[in-house]
Amino acid sequence: MVWGIVLSLALHGAMVGPGMAQTIDTEPVFLDGLFLFEVPAAGDLTAVERALAIEINLESLIEDANPALVRTETRSTGDTGGSNPIIFAGDRYIMTVTSADVAVGGASTPQAQADRWADALAAALSQARTERQSGFLTQALVKALAALAAALVLHLLTGWLWHRWLKPLLERLSFWPTDSEQHSTGLKLLFRLTLVLVRGVVWFLAVSYVANLFPLTRRVSYRVSSSLQEGLFDRSLLLGSRSYSLFDLLMVMATLLALVVIASTVTNLMRSRVLQVTGISLAAQEAISVLSKYTLILLGTVVVLQLWGIDLSSIALIASGLGIGVGLGLQGLVKDFVSGLVLVFERPVQVGDFVDFGQVNGTVARIGSRSTEIRTLDHVSIIVPNSRFLDSEVINWSHGNPVSRIRLPVGVSYSADPQQVKIALLEACQKNQEILTAPAPQVFFLGFGESALNFELLVWIAQPSRQLVIKSDLYFVIEASLRHHDIEVPFPQRDLHIRSGYLPMSRPSEA
């Protein structure tokens, strides 16, 4: 699996590069942790050196008792004859705004950009002076505690709303039968993911708000936020002729997950409202539902990828590398999936069949894409990989025809009349309504045992899953019938015959 991922990344790396846009190297400017703007390199100064120089010029202005007026002036740049606006705070030089700043700041002209940044500097200086006053720290701590308390309340409230309102609503809309909760796995996964996502957003906003209250944590908060924003929204992944961001891929994955849930809902609605009315067997309903579900998922996936403009040929190239990882690390999972398709098409085992599988016997409750659920007579669900049904011997009592025969051994005393035994056993069969009259029950005289005459009663039943109950009920009736005909059921006996009462004994000779 690891080598497949490495190969896929290598193939992706071969596609990325020539078409990627070049970005301008910038550096953010802070004042007491407050983010002001980003500046590029200018002249002989790099972006980092320029941002550091601006911060040094601003830092001394915070301590001034008289607030300085932030203004802009336009001066000639020298030999070129051009002019650039310059930002001053009082008489102190702050920075010169160049055409490169316009490309970063987004203004139409250098003068418009200088006016915009001058307003930002004035607001930041005013806020920084306010935060240097006494009492600010106490107010910030109160606001932080209030924000965290609000986040905790929202955390609990979203959980309550999800469990009391949204989850029951989704379950009603899913049309899943109440006795098969395993079919709602996709819905439960979507439910948990959305709940975790909402709670994560709540706590992220709360922590970001708290971090922006204090000058020491603002810079860290900005770095984290900008890194997340760049990682999520930067279109650095090239598929075909278009580039995508990580957020785009997450949205595609969320759409595909929603597609799986919708396909499951539609197929379960079809099973409960359409297929049950047709009167076809439960196994046929399950097979049609499974095929319909995967067909909808396949067609929906193709449509979603086309709507997002993702080139399927580029995905096939990446998938070829992942195929090596699948072959090496996920061959067991693929084997179970293929075996599930074989079970659906060939149908050696169907939903509702009663099977003996090793030490397990029970009814097939569900055939999934990877595993099959067997519900035992104790109502315990056992999950069996699909491949084991094709690799091992499975006794299917319901395959083709559910009518099957069960055997009940019976031993009676040597003093009993074999014909009376046969009559008593057949009379017992007539008192059980679950035993079929055609084929008729049979009694076989197997032979002479050590302590009893051995018979075997063979009866036919139509419900193999109830064979344990039928055997028990029939044995109760057989015991009463034998007692009615005065036929004794023996227990093992041993006769000891002593031929002589004399046991010779000899004493060893003394030395």
Side-chain angles (χ1 to χ4, degrees):
M1 184 63 183
V2 175
W3 290 109
I5 295 176
V6 172
L7 181 56
S8 65
L9 292 177
L11 293 174
H12 169 258
M15 298 186 298
V16 179
M20 304 304 296
Q22 298 294 328
T23 59
I24 301 176
D25 185 21
T26 60
E27 183 68 18
V29 178
F30 296 92
L31 176 61
D32 255 11
L34 290 172
F35 169 74
L36 300 178
F37 42 78
E38 291 187 350
V39 293
D44 297 334
L45 296 178
T46 63
V48 177
E49 294 172 344
R50 192 179 177 205
L52 181 60
I54 295 174
E55 292 178 0
I56 294 174
N57 293 333
L58 293 173
E59 189 67 28
S60 59
L61 297 175
I62 302 176
E63 304 296 339
D64 290 346
N66 298 322
L69 177 64
V70 180
R71 56 188 175 82
T72 61
E73 292 183 6
T74 302
R75 296 182 181 181
S76 174
T77 56
D79 298 337
T80 60
S83 60
N84 286 327
I86 302 175
I87 299 177
F88 289 90
D91 296 332
R92 182 182 292 274
Y93 169 82
I94 303 298
M95 63 179 297
T96 301
V97 180
T98 64
S99 57
D101 295 326
V102 176
V104 174
S108 57
T109 62
Q111 183 60 49
Q113 187 64 62
D115 294 337
R116 182 182 302 178
W117 283 355
D119 294 338
L121 289 173
L125 287 171
S126 177
Q127 181 176 348
R129 294 190 186 96
T130 303
E131 293 176 353
R132 295 294 179 92
Q133 298 176 2
S134 61
F136 167 75
L137 184 59
T138 302
Q139 296 177 1
L141 288 175
V142 172
K143 292 180 180 179
L145 293 177
L148 295 178
L152 180 60
V153 171
L154 289 176
H155 177 94
L156 299 177
L157 181 60
T158 53
W160 183 84
L161 290 176
W162 250 248
H163 287 89
R164 294 295 183 91
W165 179 74
L166 183 59
K167 184 178 180 180
L169 177 63
L170 292 178
E171 289 178 348
R172 287 196 299 268
L173 295 177
S174 64
F175 299 99
W176 271 301
T178 56
D179 59 343
S180 55
E181 294 184 357
Q182 67 278 359
H183 290 287
S184 61
T185 303
L187 182 63
K188 290 181 179 179
L189 178 60
L190 180 61
F191 164 76
R192 292 173 182 172
L193 287 179
T194 52
L195 179 59
V196 171
L197 179 62
V198 170
R199 285 177 169 177
V201 171
V202 168
W203 282 108
F204 177 78
L205 293 177
V207 172
S208 299
Y209 175 77
V210 172
N212 288 327
L213 290 176
F214 303 96
L216 294 178
T217 56
R218 284 174 184 157
R219 188 185 294 263
V220 177
S221 175
Y222 172 80
R223 295 291 185 183
V224 173
S225 300
S226 61
S227 298
L228 289 177
Q229 182 177 359
E230 181 180 356
L232 286 175
F233 300 102
D234 187 18
R235 294 181 176 272
S236 58
L237 177 62
L238 184 65
L239 293 177
S241 58
R242 297 185 60 179
S243 58
Y244 299 89
S245 64
L246 179 60
F247 180 77
D248 294 333
L249 297 184
L250 292 177
M251 290 298 298
V252 171
M253 294 176 63
T255 305
L256 294 179
L257 180 59
L259 173 65
V260 173
V261 175
I262 294 174
S264 300
T265 302
V266 171
T267 53
N268 281 282
L269 176 62
M270 180 179 63
R271 182 195 295 115
S272 60
R273 301 297 176 88
V274 180
L275 297 180
Q276 287 185 358
V277 181
T278 60
I280 61 178
S281 63
L282 183 62
Q285 295 179 25
E286 187 70 19
I288 295 175
S289 300
V290 171
L291 293 178
S292 301
K293 175 181 177 179
Y294 289 117
T295 301
L296 289 176
I297 292 176
L298 178 61
L299 295 179
T301 301
V302 175
V303 171
V304 168
L305 295 181
Q306 291 291 342
L307 290 177
W308 278 82
I310 298 178
D311 189 5
L312 297 181
S313 60
S314 60
I315 294 181
L317 184 61
I318 298 178
S320 62
L322 290 176
I324 300 177
V326 169
L328 296 177
L330 300 179
Q331 52 184 343
L333 182 62
V334 174
K335 181 180 179 181
D336 292 333
F337 180 78
V338 175
S339 300
L341 296 179
V342 173
L343 292 178
V344 171
F345 284 101
E346 189 176 334
R347 300 170 66 184
V349 176
Q350 305 177 36
V351 175
D353 288 354
F354 187 77
V355 297
D356 283 348
F357 184 77
Q359 301 296 325
V360 178
N361 55 359
T363 304
V364 178
R366 178 184 62 89
I367 299 178
S369 59
R370 189 194 65 84
S371 61
T372 296
E373 178 184 351
I374 298 178
R375 186 165 298 172
T376 66
L377 299 177
D378 299 327
H379 284 262
V380 176
S381 296
I382 299 178
I383 309 301
V384 181
N386 289 331
S387 58
R388 294 187 60 184
F389 283 95
L390 303 181
D391 296 338
S392 306
E393 294 183 356
V394 179
I395 300 176
N396 191 344
W397 293 83
S398 307
H399 186 65
N401 186 3
V403 176
S404 56
R405 186 170 67 178
I406 59 177
R407 302 171 181 267
L408 293 89
V410 178
V412 299
S413 172
Y414 269 91
S415 61
D417 182 3
Q419 293 300 325
Q420 289 294 322
V421 175
K422 181 177 181 180
I423 293 173
L425 294 178
L426 294 178
E427 287 179 356
C429 296
Q430 295 175 1
K431 298 179 181 180
N432 193 312
Q433 300 298 324
E434 294 186 279
I435 296 176
L436 302 179
T437 57
Q442 294 176 296
V443 177
F444 289 100
F445 190 175
L446 298 183
F448 302 94
E450 294 183 357
S451 305
L453 300 177
N454 296 325
F455 293 83
E456 189 172 49
L457 175 61
L458 284 72
V459 297
W460 296 85
I461 60 176
Q463 295 179 299
S465 60
R466 288 183 51 82
Q467 57 180 277
L468 184 61
V469 178
I470 295 174
K471 280 185 177 182
S472 176
D473 295 341
L474 195 53
Y475 270 126
F476 277 111
V477 180
I478 289 174
E479 193 277 334
S481 180
L482 293 178
R483 188 184 300 273
H484 176 72
H485 288 83
D486 295 328
I487 299 174
E488 181 184 355
V489 177
F491 52 86
Q493 302 180 34
R494 291 292 183 269
D495 293 335
L496 178 62
H497 298 278
I498 301 178
R499 297 194 176 198
S500 173
Y502 173 74
L503 182 61
M505 299 180 63
S506 61
R507 299 177 64 183
S509 60
E510 296 181 358

